[in-house]
Amino acid sequence: MTGILVALGGNALQRAGGLGSWEESRAQMRATVGVLAEIASEGHELVLSHGNGPQVGALLRQNEISTREVPARPMDVLGAETQGQIGYLIQTELTPALARAKVARSVLTVISRTEVDRNDPAFAHPSKPVGRYYPEGEARVLRKQYGWVMEYDGARGGWRRLVPSPRPVRWLEGPAVRQLLEAGLGDRWVPVVSGGGGIPVVRRRDGGYEGVEAVIDKDRGASLVARELGLDTLAIVTDVPGAAVGFGKPGERWLGAVTAAELARHQSRGEFASGSMGPKVESGLEFLRAGGRRFLITDIPSLARAVAGEAGTRVSAT
Ligand code: ADP
Ligand code: MG
């Protein structure tokens, strides 16, 4: 059995331009689970991870609206809530899809904490936009009242809060899931892990851990999981069929089968935007350098063919 980690991007969970209702999320997930069941039916060990940007945004907004009656929860708790709701959604929709594909596996969501270093330079330089866009006046109040770092987005005409995005160091629940796979139980379970990159926690002096006001990049979190579990393939699923050079420009070229060295060369020429494709490429290269065999970037319609080596950007270690 070869193990595959499929990391689902926001689009696999929520349709662009939708309202973000639960019914929409279910419909979107229903359109996603067929190919996951197909991969499992081919005999691969399957581990899932997912992003949570829009879902955290919705919870932040609920916090704002309800704060006079229900105290706002901190960001790490919101991260845990999104792992719960999205894990539940995957369990609900993937379970019958597995049954239809005659795959006798159960879906198991693991609330995942990921240790970050409290001295990570990211804490001094918040970079990840979260939540909604605020008009100038409101942004000024929030900066003053809460000390938020905010960034103006000209295209959207509003201000957005930036939070630190530290590097994931260690996935605390990793050993439990590794034991499950090492015991040969990958043909019985589909673990859903490290949602939203994992809940960022730092180690306390007493040996315990506590959550921090930050978010971990889900692509980096997925790479850490794939390395920790010693999986063969890391597949990052997004809303484009692969990585391109000259993206969005005349002469744009989609990458098919490439080596890690070739991909790194394109990366060093600045082909992959820092807030989107950049972290995927960086995370995939890290996975391959740590002994991973294959890194895929693809979308849901092409995922099965990408796993079969026929579509998507397919990166080999050498
Ligand atoms: P996800 O939610 O799946 O992480 P992102 O928006 O973060 O999605 O990343 C996917 C996006 O990356 C694509 O929609 C595309 O606009 C952008 N992108 C930036 N550079 C490239 C590139 N070189 N090739 C392909 N897509 C790119
Ligand atoms: Mg992204």
Side-chain angles (χ1 to χ4, degrees):
M1 257 188 155
T2 58
I4 300 185
L5 175 72
V6 175
L8 300 169
N11 65 293
L13 305 166
Q14 193 163 323
R15 196 168 46 87
L19 282 175
S21 73
W22 186 246
E23 262 321 308
E24 275 173 17
S25 304
R26 285 195 68 177
Q28 194 68 6
M29 187 55 68
R30 243 174 264 140
T32 299
V33 291
V35 60
L36 302 178
E38 186 182 333
I39 292 169
S41 76
E42 285 159 1
H44 299 286
E45 285 171 336
L46 179 63
V47 180
L48 300 176
S49 190
H50 59 80
N52 68 350
Q55 292 77 15
V56 166
L59 292 175
L60 284 167
R61 183 67 186 137
Q62 285 184 340
N63 264 349
E64 283 185 345
I65 295 168
S66 73
T67 192
R68 280 168 195 222
E69 280 188 38
V70 183
R73 299 286 184 267
M75 271 204 86
D76 56 316
V77 178
L78 303 189
E81 287 182 35
T82 64
Q83 289 184 354
Q85 58 168 270
I86 297 168
Y88 166 57
L89 176 64
I90 297 174
Q91 287 172 219
T92 303
E93 300 302 333
L94 181 55
T95 301
L98 289 168
R100 280 193 296 276
K102 308 228 170 340
V103 178
R105 295 191 200 182
S106 302
V107 188
L108 168 74
T109 300
V110 179
I111 299 296
S112 298
R113 298 167 300 162
T114 302
E115 184 179 349
V116 299
D117 181 352
R118 61 168 88 239
N119 297 317
D120 191 307
F123 284 107
H125 304 283
S127 64
K128 173 73 185 169
V130 293
R132 67 185 178 100
Y133 295 80
Y134 297 91
E136 172 80 45
E138 228 176 308
R140 203 176 312 122
V141 171
L142 289 165
R143 279 202 300 266
K144 219 171 145 189
Q145 194 168 353
Y146 299 116
W148 285 3
V149 176
M150 300 186 84
E151 172 188 64
Y152 187 70
D153 182 333
R156 298 287 295 264
W159 291 81
R160 247 182 139 190
R161 179 181 177 193
L162 298 176
V163 297
S165 184
R167 293 187 70 76
V169 174
R170 204 160 63 89
W171 170 32
L172 300 189
E173 284 69 30
V177 179
R178 198 173 57 221
Q179 276 178 32
L180 185 136
L181 295 186
E182 282 173 359
L185 296 174
D187 61 352
R188 302 259 296 275
W189 297 96
V190 180
V192 179
V193 305
S194 193
I199 303 163
V201 298
V202 293
R203 197 181 168 90
R204 289 193 309 246
R205 277 183 213 290
D206 67 3
Y209 292 89
E210 65 192 13
V212 287
E213 205 73 357
V215 295
I216 297 174
D217 179 80
K218 76 112 181 16
D219 299 315
R220 286 174 163 183
S223 172
L224 178 70
V225 164
R227 283 177 271 142
E228 167 79 19
L229 299 178
L231 300 177
D232 176 90
T233 301
L234 168 61
I236 295 187
V237 175
T238 183
D239 58 355
V240 284
V245 293
F247 178 69
K249 299 181 196 139
E252 165 188 273
R253 182 166 64 86
W254 293 93
L255 298 171
V258 294
T259 63
E262 284 165 342
L263 190 70
R265 223 163 16 246
H266 294 308
Q267 180 195 36
S268 67
R269 294 194 189 113
E271 293 285 352
F272 311 119
S274 63
S276 53
M277 191 50 71
K280 299 183 201 316
V281 167
E282 182 197 314
S283 303
L285 289 173
E286 207 172 351
F287 168 68
L288 294 173
R289 278 195 289 270
R293 196 177 63 84
R294 194 163 65 134
F295 166 48
L296 307 173
I297 305 170
T298 186
D299 57 9
I300 283 291
S302 304
L303 176 59
R305 285 186 305 125
V307 170
E310 295 158 4
T313 298
R314 311 178 297 281
V315 191
S316 56
T318 53

